[in-house]
Amino acid sequence: MQIFRQLADIPADFGPTIATIGNFDGVHRGHQWVIAEVVAQARAKNLRSVAITFDPHPARVLRPESSQPLITPLAQKLELLAGTGIDAVLVLPFTSELSRMTARTFATEILQRALRVTQLHEGENFRFGYQAEAGIESLEALGRELGFTVRVYAPRHLRGETISSSRIRQMIAEGDVTHVRALLGRSFAVCGTPASGRGYGTRYTVPTINLAPYAELLPANGVYITSLTVGTESSSETFEGVTNVGNRPTFGADSFTVETHLLNFHPIELDESTPLVLTFLRRLRAEMRWQNPEALKEQIGRDVAKAKRYFNICRVVDSKLHSAHPQA
């Protein structure tokens, strides 16, 4: 997948293209559905497929006081978009200047001239241009004038839920990491590095890893069954874990941490720059204040036992699935 971070990066011979525009926060199943259609149409017509997105998120420029944390920061979003099979992503720097661009100028300069778009795929609530001046009808009119067609998509629903970034963000913020999996099409995960000041060396021998401060969306404070992947894609290892998200109230300190106890731990190569991917699988309980550290230790033992049962059940189910479908 090619990544263009400004219009000047787009090769003169890149188009014609079939495109979609969006923030794609979460790259959820609704996004995946639209992008799959873009990719399929482009391949059928021997054209290029492209997703147009923005960095930072427009809300952080237009409404900084009320902007929401992201489900997927840009690096993670680009990795997920690469997995859709799309040919390229144009990441437009969202500046005050871009925010004042009219719908006509956007369509002319970016869609027609830079990308030579022949089809544009958008949700029915899509709006663009200065102060969100234009909707689908205006987009279709501009398309007729500038030489592209518009395919419009109604919102998708799954198990009675509308698939949207805002609904997914709400579910994660409430700690509902089990049900959000259906809307995302995968378990919710955050990417980061180990927290500093924990004595990480060449060989790390303690079965607890803290995530470095993370500015984007985290689940509600509480205890979760998780998996933690340590290292790069070419050299990584995944551990089963129990993660506490919160302030450790039993110890009387207002010190927010995302702390993961690794169940199947062994000493590993780790430093403060080692990539981590923390995947949230199931919420066990809310964060609580215990009478003393001994009571907390007993509860942690119960949490660990529940997590081990969860992973054992997963292994049994996976084994049965592989036995039933050996070619899968």
Side-chain angles (χ1 to χ4, degrees), residues 222-282:
V223 178
Y224 297 83
I225 300 173
T226 57
S227 66
L228 183 71
T229 300
V230 179
T232 61
E233 185 176 343
S234 60
S235 177
S236 65
E237 187 165 2
T238 299
F239 296 93
E240 298 166 355
V242 175
T243 297
N244 182 78
V245 179
N247 293 302
R248 304 196 301 173
T250 301
F251 297 97
D254 186 16
S255 56
F256 183 85
T257 61
V258 180
E259 185 176 57
T260 300
H261 175 74
L262 306 178
L263 305 184
N264 53 339
F265 177 78
H266 60 79
I268 53 175
E269 302 291 331
L270 187 74
D271 61 36
E272 291 173 3
S273 64
T274 301
L276 303 176
V277 179
L278 180 62
T279 303
F280 291 85
L281 302 172
R282 177 166 294 183

